[in-house]
């Protein structure tokens, strides 16, 4: 059986990503896990944290075929552009951050890695460097030449995918189109099958308006757009229920009979998921030709180098990537 290696990108070097990688190394992983980052950065942060870790250098010329021992971490050295001070952003390292992501994604495409796990980046400082950047998801879509991707967050007992992601609320209604709902639903359905091994996924769909429009009294998007689109998708064999009022959909009555929820916008679905599983949730990019999972939190600059961080979300992101690689069809 082919060794399944995984790539880990620590994200913003001044944030808690490097800390998480070092703390994670205390436990042996079930698969070879390659941190794509600066060896010097990890050494300096380990000294700051007082963490004893052995950094094992690897590269495409000598990929490991066994997991690293507990207390050690495989590192594909990727040099920084400027020295890092924990907690202090420096736009000089923006290109470094994107280089680590590119190495990881290309390694997945070329078969070196079975999937990639990402710690948080800081979008603002990358843009301040002069590089247009709207997020991991969009960057990886462009890199892999993927036309449409879907953001899904998951925690134990709940998966939530989004029709729209980072849009101002004023723009959301105009973005809820039959074409977008169709693309997102097909991707969600296909990846639940092919990357999660669910033969017949059951998907609950939120309405856009309060009470799912209440028969047209609180909006017509459900009647004019959402329901007709869902009916067409049902005829393709996709198991969909809705549109349902979001304020009652997230209850055991409904959730115990579904594999995922499709929310119309970011703050409709994600507050519920993060309340249920913050610190133990994972961000998954659907639609890519590769497996990509991520933590559900930000760079936490104020905690970098403090030792006061929780690896829970990163561990869930790793476990999810491992499971997806095992069940992938």
């Amino acid at each position: 059986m082919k060794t399944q290696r995984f790539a880990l990108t620590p994200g913003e070097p001044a944030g808690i990503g490097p800390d998480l990688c070092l703390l994670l190394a205390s436990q042996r992983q079930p698969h070879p896990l390659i941190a794509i980052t600066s060896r010097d950065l990890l050494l300096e942060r380990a000294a700051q944290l007082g963490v004893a870790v052995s950094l094992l250098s690897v590269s495409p010329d000598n990929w490991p075929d066994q997991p690293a021992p507990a207390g050690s971490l495989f590192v594909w050295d990727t040099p920084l552009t400027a020295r890092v001070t924990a907690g202090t952003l420096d736009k000089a390292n923006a290109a470094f951050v994107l280089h680590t992501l590119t190495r990881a994604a290309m390694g997945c495409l070329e078969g070196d890695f079975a999937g990639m796990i990402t710690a948080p980046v800081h979008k603002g400082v990358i843009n301040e460097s002069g590089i247009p950047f709207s997020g991991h998801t969009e960057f990886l879509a462009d890199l892999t030449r993927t036309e449409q991707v879907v953001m899904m967050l998951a925690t134990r007992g709940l998966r939530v995918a989004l029709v729209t992601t980072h849009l101002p609320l004023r723009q959301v209604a105009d973005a809820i189109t039959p074409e977008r709902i169709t693309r997102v639903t097909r991707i969600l359905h296909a990846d639940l099958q092919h990357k999660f091994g669910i033969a017949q996924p059951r998907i609950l769909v939120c309405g856009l308006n309060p009470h799912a429009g209440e028969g047209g009294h609180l909006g017509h998007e459900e009647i004019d757009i959402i329901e007709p689109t869902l009916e067409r998708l049902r005829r393709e064999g996709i198991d969909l229920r809705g549109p349902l009022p979001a304020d009652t959909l997230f209850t055991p009555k409904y959730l115990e009979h579904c594999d995922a929820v499709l929310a119309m916008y970011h703050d409709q679905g994600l507050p519920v998921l993060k309340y249920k599983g913050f610190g133990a949730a994972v961000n998954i990019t659907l639609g890519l030709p590769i497996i990509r999972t991520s933590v559900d939190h930000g760079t936490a600059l104020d905690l970098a180098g403090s030792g006061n961080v929780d690896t829970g979300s990163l561990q869930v992101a790793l476990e999810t990537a491992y499971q997806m690689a095992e069940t992938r069809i």
Side-chain angles (χ1 to χ4, degrees), residues 142-153:
D142 289 342
L143 193 64
T144 59
R145 299 181 180 179
T146 304
E147 186 173 330
Q148 179 73 40
V149 293
V150 174
M151 179 188 291
M152 183 173 81
L153 268 73

Side-chain angles (χ1 to χ4, degrees), residues 52-217:
V53 61
S54 176
L55 302 182
L56 309 176
S57 296
V58 298
S59 72
D61 295 328
N62 66 332
W63 290 134
D65 56 10
Q66 295 293 326
S72 60
L73 182 66
F74 292 127
V75 180
W76 184 7
D77 188 30
T78 306
L80 291 161
T81 307
R83 189 169 179 179
V84 170
T85 299
T88 302
L89 295 171
D90 187 341
K91 62 185 180 182
N93 277 317
F96 156 79
V97 172
L98 299 186
H99 188 38
T100 65
L101 294 176
T102 300
R103 278 188 161 185
M106 295 307 296
C108 290
L109 289 173
E110 293 166 3
D112 291 331
F113 307 126
M116 63 183 288
I117 301 93
T118 61
V121 298
H122 193 286
K123 288 181 279 197
V125 76
I126 295 174
N127 282 287
E128 287 171 12
S129 76
I131 303 172
F133 182 81
S134 53
H136 272 117
T137 302
E138 296 82 1
F139 179 81
L140 293 173
D142 289 342
L143 193 64
T144 59
R145 299 181 180 179
T146 304
E147 186 173 330
Q148 179 73 40
V149 293
V150 174
M151 179 188 291
M152 183 173 81
L153 268 73
T155 190
R156 178 174 292 184
L158 181 61
R159 300 183 185 97
V160 177
L162 303 176
V163 175
T164 63
T165 53
H166 300 125
L167 283 180
L169 194 56
R170 190 179 295 277
Q171 298 176 18
V172 167
D174 289 341
I176 302 300
T177 63
E179 295 78 16
R180 185 188 289 262
I181 294 172
T182 298
R183 288 196 305 268
V184 170
T185 304
R186 285 173 176 164
I187 290 170
L188 173 60
H189 175 77
D191 271 12
L192 288 172
Q193 288 183 318
H194 301 309
K195 292 181 180 174
F196 289 87
I198 303 171
Q200 295 294 331
R202 296 165 296 178
I203 301 169
L204 299 182
V205 182
C206 296
L208 173 65
N209 296 295
H211 302 178
E214 203 163 280
H217 295 285

